[in-house]
């Protein structure tokens, strides 16, 4: 999860640079000066440990993990790494549009910073070469598995953008954009088991008593999966997980978990993971996410807040609510999964002892974002064993939350589909404008009973140039000439057509012209 958050923050820094929030300094070689920082902090951490300042040392160690995000932010916002790539390749990164291979090049320093941070942290916790190498390999695999979905997204975007017609439809036809986004999501979910199976060091769970025990238990409660997998972490992680949807899912058991638990405890943990599938916890989470984020998007669109600071407030409030709601929900579904394990195995002690072993003494009284501490979880099991109505009450409560989530998601999806469908024919007019098929755009617009006023104005303006749209650069020049003549409405419409045709340097001019027109300066 930490690597995923860091990747998102790194992409956010690159997006800020693309929005002209970076300094104008272009000094890519200065990035080299950032490379030794992680290992310099390791030396500081060691000195603090030797001097007995363990709290300060722990803070420095944690800082090393977060350092790549800071380094990358400096690279793109201060030292102009994105501007350097644009000057080398002759084209912008276009992260917020259609990122291609240039986006992968843009992220290269971040990958290097993370690799150096991983090596530094490995050296901070051990001095033995084989242990350092083992920790480094494991953490690099974890990072790569988090990065791969973003790489696949960039590659898919690159393939779509290579075809001008396909790109125009996905970009300007809301239905096509929705199908493209849904396709990416489904593809990611379908390929996730294979991605993790190969990105992490895994192997089929060895034949033997443990495998037979787990397979027999799965059959006894009619649970199906593609494979039981052993996850080789170098005995650094004690965890299990179900990955994927339907019969294609796999179940992972880490090496440390297999080595630490008794057979009874291992079956209980297996049952806990099965509970997440049986109780549809992931589907409930997805439903609520759809309801929240689609609802926020619909609200922003309906109230026309896309270019207003209130739109950012709505989005920020939605993200904050999602974060805290997910944590609240996650802690309680873990309790429900614990009790499901007790019911399906016929005892609660095995699950309780497994929690104690996995959590260890440090996790006993400490709640995290997604889990209650071990003490609370064990107390819940003991209480539910003596008073089953406690667990049943929790289950009913979570079921109600699930039903509400499904209903809200269905409403949000229905509203979104309606909005996408209602704009379909108008969106096709925009596609014709973007592709320079201006006579087709006029014919399609004439056949519509209602047409968005802005699109109608663009179609009318396009007809002054002829049946085929000129290149984006020629349109941009014509728009600037109209602005110089004081024809601000014409300039805005022509520059908007240039932007549709692919001009990338007219955004600021469009904003200025729109502001002039709003204030009555025509």
């Amino acid at each position: 999860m930490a690597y995923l958050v860091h990747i998102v923050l790194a992409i956010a820094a690159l997006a800020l640079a693309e929005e002209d929030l970076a300094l104008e300094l272009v000094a890519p070689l200065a990035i080299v000066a950032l490379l030794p920082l992680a290992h310099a902090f390791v030396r500081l951490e060691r000195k603090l440990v030797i001097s007995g300042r363990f709290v300060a040392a722990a803070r420095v160690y944690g800082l090393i993990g977060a350092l790549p995000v800071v380094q990358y932010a400096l690279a793109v916002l201060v030292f102009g790494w994105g501007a350097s790539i644009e000057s080398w390749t002759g084209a912008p990164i276009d992260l917020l549009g259609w990122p291609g291979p240039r986006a992968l090049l843009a992220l290269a320093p971040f990958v290097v910073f993370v690799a150096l941070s991983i090596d530094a942290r490995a050296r901070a916790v051990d001095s033995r070469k084989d242990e350092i190498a083992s920790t480094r390999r494991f953490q690099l695999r974890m990072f790569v598995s988090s990065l791969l979905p973003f790489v696949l997204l960039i590659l898919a975007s690159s393939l779509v953008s290579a075809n001008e017609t396909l790109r125009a439809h996905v970009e300007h036809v809301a239905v096509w954009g929705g199908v493209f986004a849904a396709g990416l999501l489904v593809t990611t979910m379908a390929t996730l088991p294979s991605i993790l199976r190969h990105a992490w060091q895994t192997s089929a769970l060895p034949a033997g008593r443990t495998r037979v025990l787990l397979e027999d238990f799965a059959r006894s409660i009619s649970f199906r999966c593609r494979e039981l997998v052993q996850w080789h972490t170098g005995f650094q992680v004690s965890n299990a997980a179900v990955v994927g949807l339907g019969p294609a899912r796999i179940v992972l058991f880490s090496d440390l978990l297999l080595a630490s638990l008794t057979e009874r405890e291992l079956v209980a943990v297996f049952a806990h993971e099965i509970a997440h599938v049986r109780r549809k916890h992931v589907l409930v989470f997805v439903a609520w996410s759809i309801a929240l984020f689609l609802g926020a998007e619909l609200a922003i669109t309906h109230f026309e807040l896309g270019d207003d600071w209130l739109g950012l407030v709505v989005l920020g409030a939605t993200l904050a609510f999602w974060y805290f709601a997910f944590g609240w929900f996650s802690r309680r579904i873990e309790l429900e999964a614990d009790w499901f394990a007790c019911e399906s195995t016929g005892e609660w002690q095995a699950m309780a002892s497994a929690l104690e072993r996995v959590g260890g003494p440090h996790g006993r009284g400490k709640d995290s974002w997604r889990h209650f501490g071990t003490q609370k979880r064990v107390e819940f099991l003991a209480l539910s064993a003596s008073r089953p109505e406690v667990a049943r009450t929790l289950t009913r409560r979570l079921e109600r939350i699930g039903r509400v989530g499904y209903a809200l998601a269905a409403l949000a999806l229905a509203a979104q589909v309606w909005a996408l469908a209602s704009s379909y024919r108008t969106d096709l007019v925009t596609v014709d404008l973007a592709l320079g098929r201006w006579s087709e755009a006029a014919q399609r617009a004439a056949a519509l009973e209602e047409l968005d006023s802005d699109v109608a104005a663009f179609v009318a303006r396009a007809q002054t140039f002829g049946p085929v749209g000129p290149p984006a650069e020629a349109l941009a020049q014509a728009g600037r000439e109209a602005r110089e003549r004081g024809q601000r409405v014409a300039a805005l419409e022509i520059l908007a057509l240039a932007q549709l045709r692919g001009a990338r340097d007219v955004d600021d001019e469009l904003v200025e012209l729109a502001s002039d027109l709003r204030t009555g300066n025509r």
Side-chain angles (χ1 to χ4, degrees):
M1 179 64 76
Y3 289 126
L4 187 62
V5 172
H6 290 173
I7 292 168
V8 170
L9 291 174
I11 292 174
L14 192 58
L16 290 175
E18 195 167 291
E19 289 292 295
D20 296 328
L21 295 177
L23 299 181
E24 294 184 0
L25 177 65
V26 180
L29 290 180
I31 297 173
V32 177
L34 301 174
L35 298 179
L37 286 181
H39 290 83
F41 276 111
V42 168
R43 289 192 289 273
L44 173 61
E45 189 262 353
R46 286 174 178 166
K47 290 180 180 178
L48 291 171
V49 170
I50 292 172
S51 64
R53 299 170 63 185
F54 301 112
V55 174
R59 289 174 180 168
V60 172
Y61 180 79
L63 179 61
I64 297 171
L67 189 60
V69 175
V70 178
Q71 291 172 297
Y72 188 67
L74 290 171
V76 298
L77 296 175
V78 177
F79 299 135
W81 175 246
S84 298
I85 292 175
E86 184 172 345
S87 66
W88 297 335
T89 62
I93 298 170
D94 200 20
L95 182 71
L96 301 176
W98 290 98
R102 287 182 297 275
L104 298 179
L105 179 59
L107 288 172
F110 175 68
V111 174
V112 173
F113 293 144
V114 171
L116 291 172
S117 172
I118 287 172
D119 180 72
R121 283 164 66 91
R123 294 177 185 277
V125 298
D126 210 312
S127 59
R128 294 168 294 177
K129 290 184 178 180
D130 55 340
E131 291 299 322
I132 292 173
S134 175
T135 300
R136 186 168 52 217
R137 282 194 302 271
F138 172 69
Q139 293 296 334
L140 283 172
R141 286 179 180 274
M142 295 293 290
F143 172 64
V144 168
S145 67
S146 298
L147 186 63
L148 270 177
F150 294 92
V151 173
L152 294 176
L153 174 62
I154 290 172
L155 293 177
S157 172
S158 181
L159 289 174
V160 170
S161 64
N163 184 301
E164 185 181 12
T165 301
L166 180 59
R167 182 183 68 236
H169 279 79
V170 172
E171 187 170 357
H172 298 295
V173 181
V175 171
W176 283 58
V179 171
F180 177 66
L184 286 176
L185 179 61
V186 171
T187 301
T188 300
M189 293 300 296
T191 58
L192 188 59
S194 295
I195 290 174
L196 296 186
R197 185 76 163 82
H198 293 90
W200 294 353
Q201 187 178 359
T202 63
S203 63
L205 194 67
R209 178 181 172 86
T210 298
R211 185 182 184 93
V212 170
L213 188 67
L214 295 174
E215 289 175 340
D216 287 345
F217 176 76
R219 277 193 296 271
S220 72
I221 60 172
S222 302
F223 174 76
R224 295 174 59 197
C225 64
R226 189 178 74 196
E227 193 176 15
L228 300 178
V229 175
Q230 182 173 356
W231 178 22
H232 302 281
T233 71
F235 295 92
Q236 298 178 58
V237 173
S238 182
N239 203 356
V242 177
V243 181
L245 301 173
R249 65 176 69 95
I250 63 174
V251 184
L252 293 163
F253 299 91
S254 73
D255 45 14
L256 181 56
L257 185 80
L258 292 168
S260 302
L261 301 186
T262 66
E263 291 179 347
R264 290 171 51 249
E265 292 167 346
L266 189 61
V267 170
V269 169
F270 187 27
H272 171 101
E273 298 304 326
I274 292 173
H276 290 309
V277 177
R278 286 290 173 81
R279 301 301 189 191
K280 299 180 175 59
H281 292 154
V282 173
L283 292 179
V284 174
F285 165 70
V286 170
W288 272 101
S289 297
I290 289 173
L292 284 172
F293 290 109
L294 273 188
E297 181 186 351
L298 289 167
I300 290 171
T301 302
H302 178 75
F303 294 106
E304 299 181 351
L305 301 177
D307 297 325
D308 196 297
W309 64 270
L310 284 175
L312 293 176
V313 171
V314 171
L315 182 59
T318 303
L319 285 169
F321 180 80
W322 177 89
Y323 177 86
F324 289 108
F326 176 73
W328 184 94
F329 180 69
S330 177
R331 291 190 293 272
R332 282 152 184 82
I333 63 173
E334 293 299 327
L335 293 181
E336 184 182 33
D338 289 344
W339 182 245
F340 178 92
C342 299
E343 287 189 312
S344 58
T345 59
E347 60 169 334
W348 69 272
Q349 292 87 352
M351 188 69 233
S353 60
L355 289 171
E356 295 283 7
R357 288 181 190 271
V358 172
H362 298 294
R364 242 194 144 261
K366 184 178 180 182
D367 296 344
S368 70
W369 176 46
R370 292 188 55 242
H371 298 84
F372 284 120
T374 302
Q375 182 176 348
K376 288 183 181 178
R377 294 173 72 175
V378 171
E379 288 175 351
F380 172 79
L381 294 179
L383 180 61
S384 297
S386 61
R387 295 172 53 196
E389 66 273 11
V390 172
R392 287 196 292 268
T393 299
L394 174 65
T395 297
R396 286 194 297 269
R397 188 180 188 185
L398 294 177
E399 286 175 348
R400 285 195 296 271
I401 290 172
R403 286 193 292 270
V404 172
Y406 295 144
L408 291 176
L411 288 173
L413 285 170
Q416 184 76 345
V417 169
W418 174 263
L420 297 182
S422 62
S423 67
Y424 181 71
R425 297 177 69 189
T426 299
D427 291 344
L428 291 178
V429 177
T430 306
V431 169
D432 287 333
L433 292 174
L435 294 175
R437 303 186 308 214
W438 288 0
S439 62
E440 290 91 334
Q443 294 171 12
R444 201 185 297 273
L448 294 177
E449 295 181 1
E450 293 185 10
L451 184 63
D452 179 85
S453 59
D454 288 336
V455 176
F458 297 155
V459 171
R461 183 64 59 183
Q463 301 316 297
T464 64
F465 288 89
V468 178
E473 295 77 10
L475 280 172
Q477 182 59 34
R480 292 180 181 117
E481 291 173 357
R483 187 179 186 184
E484 291 175 0
R485 294 193 297 268
Q487 300 170 329
R488 288 182 171 80
V489 173
L492 185 144
E493 292 171 355
I494 296 170
L495 288 174
L497 288 171
Q499 186 183 56
L500 283 174
R501 296 284 288 131
R504 300 181 182 277
D505 57 348
V506 298
D507 294 355
D508 292 341
E509 293 168 283
L510 284 170
V511 171
E512 292 170 4
L513 284 167
S515 176
D516 287 344
L517 292 174
R518 278 197 301 269
T519 58
N521 185 6
R522 307 180 71 86

